[in-house]
């Protein structure tokens, strides 16, 4: 494995770990010692080669597909990631259930799948917004405006929808 490839792989490993709010020692604790902090750190720095088997096991531990860890791959094959869509869960809790019920259930499902229960914000993908638009029987841009008016999405979300419309 080339050192550049190892560094790119390590950067992806580090990004996944930090997205999950884990320190290197947190990985060791959560894995009950299966993943040593020093070993994971050496993978992340590109100082140590990781076998395909260990990479698959690490991907399983993090709960991500192996291809998400491989350099040169981006989610959905996009050259540049679109702007993030971030739901304000605290504000969502104050929107009447008759309006926001489907969104609240959808957000709860995503939180459950990710094991992400910080309760303040939740990043969603463009595909999530399109799915929600179908549920609400609206276009993604109309739904975005609705969510902005509820205070659940920041006005910057308009750029994400505009970016999606241009692709």
């Amino acid at each position: 494995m080339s050192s550049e490839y190892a560094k790119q792989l390590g950067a992806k490993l580090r990004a996944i770990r930090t997205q999950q709010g884990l320190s290197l020692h947190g990985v060791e604790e959560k894995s009950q010692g299966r993943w040593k902090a020093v070993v994971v750190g050496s993978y992340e720095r590109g100082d140590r080669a990781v076998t395909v088997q260990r990479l698959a096991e690490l991907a399983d531990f993090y709960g991500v597909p192996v291809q998400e860890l491989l350099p040169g791959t981006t989610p959905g094959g996009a050259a540049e990631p679109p702007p993030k869509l971030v739901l304000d869960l605290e504000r969502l809790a104050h929107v009447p259930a008759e309006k926001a019920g489907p969104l609240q259930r959808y957000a709860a499902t995503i939180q459950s799948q990710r094991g992400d229960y910080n309760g303040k914000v939740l990043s969603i993908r463009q595909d999530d917004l399109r799915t929600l638009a179908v549920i609400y029987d609206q276009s993604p841009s109309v739904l975005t405006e609705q969510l902005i008016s509820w205070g659940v999405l920041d006005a910057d979300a308009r750029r994400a929808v505009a970016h999606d419309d241009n692709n």
Side-chain angles (χ1 to χ4, degrees):
M1 174 164 42
S2 80
S3 66
E4 184 57 34
Y5 189 86
K7 285 184 171 135
Q8 290 175 6
L9 176 69
K12 288 219 173 194
L13 286 169
R14 183 177 296 113
I16 293 293
R17 175 180 57 77
T18 57
Q19 282 175 8
Q20 295 187 4
L22 291 170
S23 66
L24 288 170
H25 291 289
V27 169
E28 189 167 336
E29 289 173 11
K30 183 177 177 185
S31 70
Q32 298 174 333
R34 172 149 171 47
W35 295 102
K36 300 292 184 208
V38 68
V39 172
V40 175
S42 65
Y43 291 156
E44 290 181 3
R45 289 186 305 277
D47 294 341
R48 183 176 188 159
V50 59
T51 65
V52 173
Q53 177 66 36
R54 293 290 282 171
L55 186 63
E57 292 169 5
L58 199 50
D60 186 51
F61 171 75
Y62 286 137
V64 300
V66 175
Q67 62 267 25
E68 291 294 320
L69 301 177
L70 299 176
T73 60
T74 55
E80 177 183 320
K84 290 203 185 260
L85 294 167
V86 180
L87 296 175
D88 183 327
L89 298 176
E90 292 175 326
R91 288 203 171 182
L92 179 58
H94 298 293
V95 177
E98 60 272 9
K99 289 182 180 178
L103 177 57
Q104 290 167 336
R105 289 188 298 277
Y106 195 86
T109 300
I110 292 172
Q111 286 179 293
S112 173
Q113 289 173 341
R114 293 181 188 169
D116 177 6
Y117 297 103
N118 75 20
K120 295 181 186 336
V121 296
L122 180 70
S123 294
I124 62 170
R125 299 178 180 97
Q126 297 288 333
D127 287 343
D128 294 320
L129 185 64
R130 284 192 288 273
T131 300
L132 286 163
V134 170
I135 291 168
Y136 278 93
D137 195 25
Q138 297 176 342
S139 71
S141 57
V142 169
L143 179 60
T144 298
E145 291 303 322
Q146 181 67 55
L147 298 179
I148 290 169
S149 75
W150 291 349
V152 173
L153 272 181
D154 188 272
D156 284 345
R158 289 185 185 104
R159 287 184 320 128
V161 174
H163 179 275
D164 194 41
D165 288 345
N166 292 330
N167 287 330

